[in-house]
Amino acid sequence: MHRLLTGPLRVENLTVAIPNLPAHLQGTKLAQLSDFHYDGGRLSDSLLEEALAVTNQAEPDLILLTGDYVTKKPEPIHQLVLYLKHLQSRAGIYAILGNHDLKYPHSKTEITQALTQIDIGVLWNEIVYPFGPELALVGLADFWSGEFNPKPVFSLLDQTTPRIVLSHNPDTALPLQKWRVDLQLSGHTHGGQIVLPKIGPVAAFLKPMRCATPKPLRRWVPYMSGNCYKVVEHWEWAAGLYQLGNNQLYVNRGLGTYRPGRLFCPPEVTLITLINSQSCSVEEFQQKAVLGKLI
């Protein structure tokens, strides 16, 4: 995708408070990248290289990839991993798959094998403990895969154990409210790509607009053809951090871009610092961090 249609990369820094986070994990830094859509057209090599360089410069403790590495055919994953193999973190790199990674019967296996071969752990309704038993990382199957089944996964966790949950589609935040989710990381929406100030993602209006548009004209209106209007139900969670009951959801705007491009919705690398909610507030932690830099 041409840079003019994509816009400059933005790094989003946020601090997330988690109850019962162990003292030795205070200040743990996560990096999230999502929705690459690496297919020779929707993500330029220069933007990809910039995103990976920014991620490594941040020296994250853990790197998390939240799906859609390709768009249709899985073959581009073999070129993408030549870039992803340069990612570096203290506790490893973990990934989940998105709906585009499941387009063909062989897509899941081919993409999983390619990522695994460069030491990226692919989670499919699985739990791992990158920092030890005090913090769980849960990776769920894609919402549309037919295998999204969080109940048996969460039944393996003690309620007192803090956990980060990877789930490609943010719509899963609604059914996941049945369980403790200290932080859910999602992508899938591309932030809506075209966002109007004070109004929000134009995509949120696609369904009613489609109903009002004569069928012969839909092919000429951006996003009106195909299934674009079905991307998510909850466009109010298109990008950013949300508090949903006791759970927290963060939605990454992704790196790849569909035509006609992005407007007020730049591609994103997310850097997340974890703190214990009992030890200090997010505001207090940020103030201490600023004072530390000044000193």
Side-chain angles (χ1 to χ4, degrees), residues 224-287:
M224 202 64 70
S225 61
N227 293 321
C228 293
Y229 69 99
K230 297 180 180 178
V231 171
V232 288
E233 288 292 330
H234 295 278
W235 279 110
E236 66 272 24
W237 306 333
L241 183 64
Y242 303 90
Q243 186 76 42
L244 305 174
N246 293 323
N247 295 349
Q248 297 182 89
L249 165 69
Y250 187 82
V251 184
N252 180 296
R253 295 186 300 270
L255 293 172
T257 299
Y258 281 96
R259 292 187 182 278
R262 292 177 179 263
L263 180 66
F264 302 119
C265 186
E268 171 181 356
V269 169
T270 315
L271 301 177
I272 304 165
T273 301
L274 303 181
I275 63 170
N276 186 313
S277 60
Q278 285 95 3
S279 65
C280 64
S281 68
V282 170
E283 291 76 14
E284 290 171 338
F285 182 86
Q286 291 172 338
Q287 289 173 356

Side-chain angles (χ1 to χ4, degrees), residues 123-151:
L123 305 178
W124 185 268
N125 290 330
E126 295 176 77
I127 305 170
V128 292
Y129 298 87
F131 303 108
E134 299 94 346
L135 179 64
L137 177 65
V138 181
L140 298 175
D142 182 67
F143 196 30
W144 295 346
S145 68
E147 297 184 32
F148 177 78
N149 189 16
K151 184 175 181 179

Side-chain angles (χ1 to χ4, degrees), residues 4 61 88 214 279:
L4 289 176
D61 298 299
Q88 300 174 357
S279 65

